[in-house]
Amino acid sequence: MSGQPCSLIATILANRHDEAAARATLQEAQARADTLEPWLRAFVHRPDVYAVRDACTRTLAGVPIGVKDLVDTCDMPTCYGSAAYAGHRPARDASIASSIRALGGVVFGKTATTEFAWRDPAATVNPWNRAHTPGGSSSGSAAAVAAGIVPLAIGTQTVGSVVRPAAYCGVVGYKPTYRNIATEGVHPLAASLDHVGFFARSVEDIAVAHALFVEGAHDVLDDETSWRKHFGAAPEIRLGVIRTPFWDDLIAPHQRDNFDASLQRLRDGGAQIVEVELAADLRAMREATLTILAVEAYRAIGHIGERAPALVREQMRALLAQGAATPLSTYQDALMLQATVRAQSVALLQGCDALLTVPASGEAPAGHADTGDARFCAPWSFVGAPAMNLPSGWSEAGLPLGLQIVGAMHEDMKLLRLAASIQTMLGFEARTVPA
Amino acid sequence: MSGQPCSLIATILANRHDEAAARATLQEAQARADTLEPWLRAFVHRPDVYAVRDACTRTLAGVPIGVKDLVDTCDMPTCYGSAAYAGHRPARDASIASSIRALGGVVFGKTATTEFAWRDPAATVNPWNRAHTPGGSSSGSAAAVAAGIVPLAIGTQTVGSVVRPAAYCGVVGYKPTYRNIATEGVHPLAASLDHVGFFARSVEDIAVAHALFVEGAHDVLDDETSWRKHFGAAPEIRLGVIRTPFWDDLIAPHQRDNFDASLQRLRDGGAQIVEVELAADLRAMREATLTILAVEAYRAIGHIGERAPALVREQMRALLAQGAATPLSTYQDALMLQATVRAQSVALLQGCDALLTVPASGEAPAGHADTGDARFCAPWSFVGAPAMNLPSGWSEAGLPLGLQIVGAMHEDMKLLRLAASIQTMLGFEARTVPA
């Protein structure tokens, strides 16, 4: 992408008013994908040719965007990672796909998802070590951005499916406040928990995606003023560290060391760091999350389990069985707890500007049978609060590590501004996998 | 239906283990529909023949159920009341349609809905006076039950689309707690507000539908014990009257007189009646409801307004325009208020067992351009609390009047038990339109 390491902002600026540049961008992305995809397997479908239309007038003209195959697209197969939907062709675009095209963006391909965004893995491997999982469920979106194929990819998160694979692949992953991005046309896993989110290589790129797709600020890159208003560093930053009751049991030493080093860099950068205890019962939240997941997945996907059980994989079968067996009152209690913590979302920050925690218990685990532990992402999906992974270092094995930052519900723009400052203090940038 | 005035319980008991009775029930329903439909227009589609399967083993064998045409059915056209979906055939059943069939129930036909369950009316007329609206958006479901064609119909409520038409048509309408019935496969109007609900002729029938479809208690009619546990009168009932700030301005004298008479009957029946003020800002809730409606309708339906504006009717066009123009922060504030009042749902009852209010400002208005005022239903849809209409009398013009009762979120079974007691105290039964 014109020498820029797959930056969304650089790609937008390079292609604007320049149809030849837009075509070149797409060709470069195709060439890179052709080189990497034989082993990476980030995409389950890529078209052979792309149309570039109205490059002179549309913000995202010629910008290739990976779209998770949980998202309906009217011109490409959409299989939700499920054998039951092999060759499925939706009649129309999901809301987010339609927004991409309205801005002139190019759906570069459908990225691999675990089965219905649950735990049965996709074929994608970790771009930094192909013997390791890329995380899931948005496996292909995270890997495609890490590999420098596309500057932006759409993912979804029901428990930890944006933040965790972003951490495992070493990119920025952003899950906005619940419902801030429409889920219409995205196959539900659990409607009370499902979020649409973004992967990119920098906080600035995520902020531009947020401006374009969430705020509707289509002029965000038109001049310095409209652009800078999305940043403007927060002068005094107070950050609350959430270690959770299972911190010592679960977190690998390299992740713990990296987390402590990140805190030191933030202190050095002038941020005030305080230790806080979450004013909510994490274990009860975890139970409630699993209950909602199981019941709502059974509602959305149970019909396949009943009609074609052979087409449903093992982890999903277990989830559906749990959903079918859950009493209504257990589900009702879970939703009531969710309503309660959502209403307390601002209080959860305890006067801090954001919370800090790990995105996962360590680097991407070896093997492909499992996509890793979502325990450190789950509470924020349950609350519906905005959460992000920022790349923060490398493990001894050469795999990425990350820092998770969490804001209050609906304070996404505040979190994005903070994240830009934190990214600067961490002094760490997403790397690109060598082709 | 074997002499019973279209009771769900009687129909189930008559048809059980008796395939001939099941066939006769369906033929009677067809004959009645054939007689009434030329003027009533409750259905937009009815098949010519029905299959009766496994009458000996399945609870709802041969029970005809009306299903709002907002609900996907794999074997009948599903048009969402929209010209843009004329002849549309969904690939599979919505969750609630699939549940009906799993219990052996018969989707008797698709009932008329306003356009996408918003305000542009269906062709259905009020069964008690064809010059009046039946209410909406579940116009056909309310009318089909009032007319005695089916003992049970499925509706949806986003603002007041079950409770209001139930009141205008003189039947029991029940909107359960938000998400208690899965909305999968129901066309969204506004996902944060959409509910699936029931129409029937008595509280007992609604309680059986609740047991079958929500609690999964498929043995509810197997014996007296399992059945009676759903009732068992509450010995001391305390009911809070909510008059709202717009009571005096909006409510017609006949509705006010009927409401006062209902309160007197409840007092005579031994209930304690107290006047309460809602511990929430109704005007702010109303604003927030309209904001969420507009933004989420635009997300779900805006694509039609953009591609085929001629196929979108006037009220929907206005709603979509409002949604497109609403700033993100306004929507975020509305969702935050909703989270706050949901968490306070139990407190809203102020120690009462249920709240009492009117279902609408009066009888069904004359004319068909408008489906009536949802102002007295809107707060409970916003909160997600269970709400019911109970028929409570007749206006001088011979149109039905009703009483609305509201419970706390997730306390649906408590509300159903209370409703049975209240129904007895009111001493009023739903009548059937003469054929």
Side-chain angles (χ1 to χ4, degrees):
Chain A
M1 315 216 165
S2 316
Q4 297 287 343
C6 210
S7 143
L8 176 64
I9 295 174
T11 308
I12 291 172
L13 294 178
N15 289 359
R16 181 147 33 181
H17 312 310
D18 186 342
E19 196 169 312
R23 289 189 196 289
T25 295
L26 289 167
Q27 279 161 12
E28 284 171 49
Q30 275 184 303
R32 191 160 177 88
D34 289 344
T35 306
L36 297 171
E37 274 293 282
W39 61 269
L40 185 64
R41 300 194 286 270
F43 290 89
V44 291
H45 178 85
R46 285 190 293 134
D48 295 326
V49 287
Y50 299 98
V52 174
R53 286 171 304 173
D54 308 333
C56 294
T57 53
R58 297 205 285 176
T59 310
L60 290 178
V63 176
I65 299 173
V67 175
K68 186 176 184 178
D69 200 32
L70 203 69
V71 176
D72 282 348
T73 45
C74 65
D75 57 351
M76 296 178 203
T78 305
C79 310
Y80 317 127
S82 161
Y85 281 94
H88 173 60
R89 292 250 170 196
R92 65 188 181 83
D93 277 343
S95 173
I96 184 70
S98 152
S99 299
I100 289 172
R101 299 196 219 253
L103 289 164
V106 174
V107 178
F108 182 74
K110 304 301 291 283
T111 58
T113 174
T114 63
E115 188 189 31
F116 293 115
W118 186 227
R119 290 184 176 153
D120 300 278
T124 314
V125 299
N126 192 298
W128 299 102
N129 183 335
R130 50 190 92 174
H132 290 241
T133 178
S137 66
S138 308
S139 317
S141 288
V145 170
I149 298 171
V150 289
L152 178 72
I154 307 300
T156 67
Q157 173 158 324
T158 303
V159 185
S161 289
V162 167
V163 169
R164 182 166 90 267
Y168 287 174
C169 293
V171 297
V172 182
Y174 163 63
K175 178 202 84 63
T177 294
Y178 182 68
R179 285 216 198 281
N180 267 16
I181 303 180
T183 52
E184 271 79 9
V186 178
H187 198 294
L189 173 57
S192 298
L193 299 165
D194 293 340
H195 301 71
V196 173
F198 301 125
F199 295 89
R201 304 179 67 75
S202 69
V203 173
E204 290 80 358
D205 282 358
I206 293 283
V208 164
H210 187 270
L212 294 174
F213 291 110
V214 188
E215 298 161 58
H218 298 168
D219 59 350
V220 62
L221 287 177
D222 283 0
D223 59 54
E224 275 289 304
T225 318
S226 58
W227 165 235
R228 287 294 155 194
K229 81 175 177 203
H230 284 270
F231 292 99
E236 288 179 23
I237 299 179
R238 182 181 164 90
L239 302 167
V241 175
I242 293 278
R243 290 195 197 261
T244 78
F246 24 84
W247 192 264
D248 290 332
D249 292 343
L250 287 185
I251 297 181
H254 59 254
Q255 176 69 69
R256 212 177 307 166
D257 293 347
N258 176 266
F259 186 75
D260 291 339
S262 293
L263 296 188
Q264 192 52 51
R265 284 194 213 104
L266 296 176
R267 278 191 209 93
D268 294 345
Q272 188 187 355
I273 308 285
V274 294
E275 300 274 333
V276 297
E277 300 249 340
L278 194 66
D281 181 342
L282 272 176
R283 282 177 207 280
M285 282 165 67
R286 180 173 165 77
E287 281 298 305
T289 303
L290 293 175
T291 295
I292 293 172
L293 242 169
V295 171
E296 297 188 353
Y298 179 68
R299 289 177 171 190
I301 300 161
H303 65 102
I304 299 172
E306 277 156 23
R307 286 189 302 196
L311 300 180
V312 175
R313 292 167 71 185
E314 193 183 335
Q315 308 258 17
M316 177 56 83
R317 256 208 301 273
L319 185 68
L320 297 180
Q322 187 194 331
T326 301
L328 177 66
S329 60
T330 308
Y331 175 58
Q332 291 174 322
D333 291 347
L335 287 181
M336 210 59 238
L337 179 63
Q338 188 182 41
T340 305
V341 295
R342 282 195 173 161
Q344 297 165 345
S345 153
V346 173
L348 290 183
L349 265 62
Q350 301 178 53
C352 296
D353 297 305
L355 300 178
L356 301 177
T357 189
V358 291
S361 50
E363 66 187 15
H368 299 107
D370 189 83
T371 60
D373 186 357
R375 197 168 295 210
F376 294 94
C377 300
W380 324 116
S381 295
F382 183 71
V383 174
M388 289 180 85
N389 176 71
L390 299 183
S392 62
W394 296 87
S395 73
E396 271 182 36
L399 284 158
L401 295 170
L403 176 71
Q404 184 175 197
I405 61 175
V406 177
M409 277 188 93
H410 301 299
E411 298 192 353
D412 294 66
M413 288 174 70
K414 178 175 178 186
L415 185 69
L416 290 168
R417 278 193 295 270
L418 261 178
S421 299
I422 291 172
Q423 177 184 250
T424 305
M425 292 186 231
L426 291 179
F428 189 88
E429 281 180 17
R431 290 189 208 158
T432 303
V433 175
Chain B
M1 316 213 164
S2 316
Q4 296 286 344
C6 210
S7 142
L8 176 63
I9 294 174
T11 308
I12 291 172
L13 295 177
N15 290 358
R16 180 143 40 176
H17 311 312
D18 187 342
E19 196 170 311
R23 289 189 195 289
T25 295
L26 290 166
Q27 280 162 11
E28 283 170 51
Q30 275 185 302
R32 191 162 177 87
D34 289 344
T35 306
L36 296 171
E37 273 294 281
W39 62 269
L40 185 63
R41 300 194 286 269
F43 290 90
V44 292
H45 178 83
R46 285 190 293 135
D48 295 326
V49 287
Y50 300 99
V52 175
R53 286 170 305 172
D54 309 333
C56 293
T57 53
R58 296 206 284 176
T59 310
L60 289 178
V63 176
I65 299 172
V67 175
K68 186 175 182 177
D69 201 33
L70 202 70
V71 175
D72 283 349
T73 45
C74 65
D75 57 352
M76 297 179 204
T78 304
C79 309
Y80 317 127
S82 161
Y85 281 94
H88 174 59
R89 293 250 171 197
R92 63 188 183 84
D93 277 344
S95 175
I96 184 69
S98 152
S99 299
I100 289 172
R101 300 194 219 254
L103 289 164
V106 174
V107 178
F108 182 74
K110 302 303 289 288
T111 58
T113 175
T114 63
E115 188 189 32
F116 293 115
W118 185 228
R119 290 186 176 152
D120 300 277
T124 314
V125 299
N126 191 297
W128 299 101
N129 183 334
R130 51 190 90 175
H132 290 243
T133 177
S137 65
S138 306
S139 317
S141 287
V145 170
I149 297 171
V150 290
L152 179 71
I154 307 300
T156 67
Q157 173 158 327
T158 304
V159 185
S161 290
V162 167
V163 169
R164 183 167 90 267
Y168 287 173
C169 293
V171 298
V172 182
Y174 164 62
K175 177 203 84 65
T177 295
Y178 182 68
R179 284 214 199 281
N180 266 16
I181 304 181
T183 52
E184 272 79 8
V186 177
H187 198 293
L189 172 58
S192 297
L193 300 165
D194 293 339
H195 300 72
V196 174
F198 301 126
F199 296 88
R201 305 180 65 74
S202 70
V203 172
E204 289 81 358
D205 282 358
I206 292 284
V208 164
H210 187 269
L212 293 173
F213 292 109
V214 189
E215 297 161 60
H218 297 170
D219 59 351
V220 62
L221 287 178
D222 282 1
D223 60 52
E224 274 289 303
T225 320
S226 58
W227 164 234
R228 288 294 155 193
K229 80 175 177 204
H230 284 270
F231 291 99
E236 288 180 22
I237 299 178
R238 181 182 164 91
L239 302 167
V241 175
I242 292 278
R243 290 193 198 261
T244 77
F246 23 83
W247 193 264
D248 290 332
D249 292 342
L250 287 185
I251 297 181
H254 59 254
Q255 176 70 68
R256 212 177 306 165
D257 293 347
N258 176 266
F259 186 75
D260 291 338
S262 294
L263 296 188
Q264 193 51 52
R265 284 193 213 105
L266 296 176
R267 278 193 208 95
D268 295 345
Q272 187 187 352
I273 308 286
V274 295
E275 301 274 333
V276 297
E277 300 249 337
L278 194 67
D281 182 342
L282 274 175
R283 282 177 207 280
M285 282 165 68
R286 181 173 164 76
E287 282 297 305
T289 303
L290 293 175
T291 294
I292 292 172
L293 242 169
V295 171
E296 297 187 355
Y298 178 68
R299 288 175 171 192
I301 301 162
H303 64 100
I304 299 173
E306 276 156 23
R307 286 188 303 196
L311 299 181
V312 175
R313 291 168 71 186
E314 192 184 336
Q315 307 257 15
M316 178 56 83
R317 255 208 302 272
L319 184 69
L320 297 178
Q322 187 194 332
T326 302
L328 177 66
S329 61
T330 307
Y331 175 59
Q332 291 174 321
D333 291 346
L335 286 180
M336 211 57 238
L337 179 63
Q338 188 182 41
T340 305
V341 295
R342 283 194 172 162
Q344 297 165 345
S345 152
V346 172
L348 290 184
L349 264 63
Q350 301 178 52
C352 297
D353 297 304
L355 301 178
L356 302 177
T357 190
V358 291
S361 50
E363 66 188 13
H368 299 107
D370 189 83
T371 60
D373 184 359
R375 196 169 294 210
F376 294 93
C377 301
W380 324 116
S381 295
F382 183 72
V383 174
M388 289 181 85
N389 176 70
L390 299 183
S392 62
W394 297 87
S395 73
E396 271 182 37
L399 284 158
L401 295 170
L403 175 71
Q404 184 174 198
I405 62 176
V406 178
M409 278 188 94
H410 301 300
E411 298 192 354
D412 294 66
M413 288 174 70
K414 178 176 177 185
L415 185 69
L416 290 168
R417 277 194 296 272
L418 261 178
S421 299
I422 291 173
Q423 178 183 247
T424 305
M425 291 186 232
L426 292 179
F428 189 88
E429 283 179 17
R431 290 188 209 160
T432 303
V433 175

